[in-house]
Structure formats: structure tokens, C-alpha cells
Amino acid sequence: MAVSAGALELDMVINHPLLKQQRYSEAFTDVAAVRNVAPHPVVLKVILETSRLSQIDIIAGCKVAEAANADFVKTSTGFGGQGATEKNVRLMKSVIGPNTKVKASGGVKTVNECVAMMEAGAERIGTSNGVWIMKEAQSLLENFTHAVADKGREKSRPADSLTRMFSSS
């Protein structure tokens, strides 16, 4: 098993048929079974594939994952459907408690999209464009810094979300 081999994080996809049939206790049992074989400090992320779910199903999936002590609810695998949307990230964040976080994954390709997801409530971003996004963010910060220096403005600063991309917390 991955945990015995040293895995520190696991992703699992929630059982969509159970969720759509409102068989929430069975969906909970699936997630809880993974949590039981991968206890903390292993990070458990439950993938919802939000583009395939109604708002009610997204809410239910978040609550099931939260009740089973998942660390994150994740928008998608990034391989099927639309991927992360601000609307779904905001919805997910609004229904989970402080011990569960949101990971926006799939379709995040630019710094602006990354910042929008973070402002919507995502704690993490999953993207295959990470290097490009970080280069774009670095360029934006450098341009901003030069513009501020050139105009002599000392009180201006970039958006907190953009600054957060370069912090360790």
C-alpha cells in the first residue's frame, strides 16, 4: 500500500453513483475506510469531479468528506470535464468547516486564474502549468516593483493573493 511505502498524501475520487443516489452513509463508509488505513498525518484529499455534479451533490460530497476527516476536498482530477471554477470553489469553501480545506484542480492555467481560485477559497492549486504560473507571477511582481519605484509610490502593494503565492504559509 502507498502509506506503508511512505506516501504522505493520498487522493481518492468519491463514489459518484452513491453520491448521486443520495446514499451518503455508503459514500461516507468509502472515504472513512481510506482514512482508517491512512490516518493523520497522511493528508487525504477527496476528489469530487465537480463538473459532473449538481450543487446539491457538491455540497453532499463536501460534507461526506468532512465527516470522514478528509483534509481536503478537491474539485477534479484535471483529466475529465471542466475542472475548477470559482463558483464551485466558493461553494465548497462555504460548506466545509475549518479543518477541511479546498484544492482547486484542473483548468488553472494563468496567474489570474490562480489568484481567483485562492480568493474564492482554495488553499491549494493543482495545475500542470505551475512553472509557467510562477514565472508569470514573478514577472508581474517585478513589473509592479519597477512601476512603484519609477513613480515613487511607497504605499502601493500587490494583491495579497499574489503575494501569498511566494510565501511559505
Side-chain angles (χ1 to χ4, degrees):
M1 170 175 203
V3 174
S4 61
L8 300 176
E9 298 194 9
L10 292 178
D11 287 26
M12 69 171 288
V13 178
I14 201 159
N15 187 318
H16 284 132
L18 294 178
L19 205 57
K20 288 179 177 261
Q21 295 167 14
Q22 299 179 353
R23 294 165 52 192
Y24 303 132
S25 64
E26 292 171 77
F28 166 83
T29 300
D30 278 357
V31 178
V34 174
R35 175 85 287 171
N36 286 337
V37 297
H40 287 101
V42 174
V43 175
L44 177 61
K45 294 172 277 178
V46 177
I47 303 165
L48 301 182
E49 294 293 6
T50 54
S51 67
R52 298 179 182 165
L53 298 174
S54 69
Q55 284 192 339
I56 298 292
D57 293 334
I58 292 169
I59 293 167
C62 286
K63 297 315 273 182
V64 164
E66 180 180 38
N69 294 315
D71 299 291
F72 283 86
V73 285
K74 185 174 166 181
T75 56
S76 69
T77 58
F79 296 111
Q82 182 179 12
T85 66
E86 287 179 65
K87 178 183 174 185
N88 287 338
V89 168
R90 233 179 269 296
L91 174 62
M92 293 164 71
K93 181 67 175 173
S94 74
V95 299
I96 57 172
N99 295 326
T100 307
K101 296 175 174 80
V102 176
K103 180 174 179 179
S105 186
V108 181
K109 296 180 173 112
T110 68
V111 129
N112 287 338
E113 291 169 348
C114 185
V115 168
M117 293 301 167
M118 291 167 38
E119 289 178 345
E123 193 76 22
R124 286 189 183 178
I125 304 295
T127 182
S128 58
N129 296 298
V131 172
W132 166 252
I133 290 170
M134 294 309 291
K135 285 181 180 180
E136 184 185 9
Q138 185 66 43
S139 175
L140 288 170
L141 283 173
E142 287 172 5
N143 290 342
F144 178 83
T145 302
H146 293 312
V148 168
D150 290 345
K151 294 184 180 178
R153 287 188 245 144
E154 297 176 5
K155 294 182 181 182
S156 299
R157 57 186 289 237
D160 289 338
S161 297
L162 187 58
T163 305
R164 210 171 102 203
M165 291 175 66
F166 293 99
S167 69
S168 60
S169 54

